[in-house]
Amino acid sequence: CQFFFTTGPMSTWDMKYSIFGDAVEGQDVIAKMSKVPVHGEKPVNPPKLMSVTIERIGPPPVVKKPK
């Protein structure tokens, strides 16, 4: 599984990735991660997330019946 946190619009990702969701807390951590030194597009010392909780808000996805 791979996911990204963004701090603003990512127009270069349009039509390439599905972008969804919101951080409901921890925006200060995301802001700090967005400011780490990079070489090209990759962080020099990548931050590591020790814990993440992902919660579905809303109805569950529709289960398609087999044909």
Side-chain angles (χ1 to χ4, degrees), residues 1-64:
C1 178
Q2 184 178 32
F3 56 93
F4 299 91
F5 295 102
T6 62
T7 57
M10 298 298 298
S11 60
T12 56
W13 291 4
D14 288 354
M15 305 306 291
K16 296 178 184 172
Y17 299 97
S18 296
I19 300 174
F20 58 91
D22 286 308
V24 295
E25 60 183 62
Q27 291 88 345
D28 58 323
V29 175
I30 295 170
K32 288 178 187 176
M33 290 190 320
S34 74
K35 293 179 173 79
V36 300
V38 294
H39 180 71
E41 292 185 357
K42 295 187 176 186
V44 175
N45 294 307
K48 294 182 180 165
L49 300 175
M50 303 308 285
S51 174
V52 174
T53 301
I54 299 173
E55 293 183 33
R56 174 180 297 280
I57 298 175
V62 175
V63 177
K64 294 181 181 180

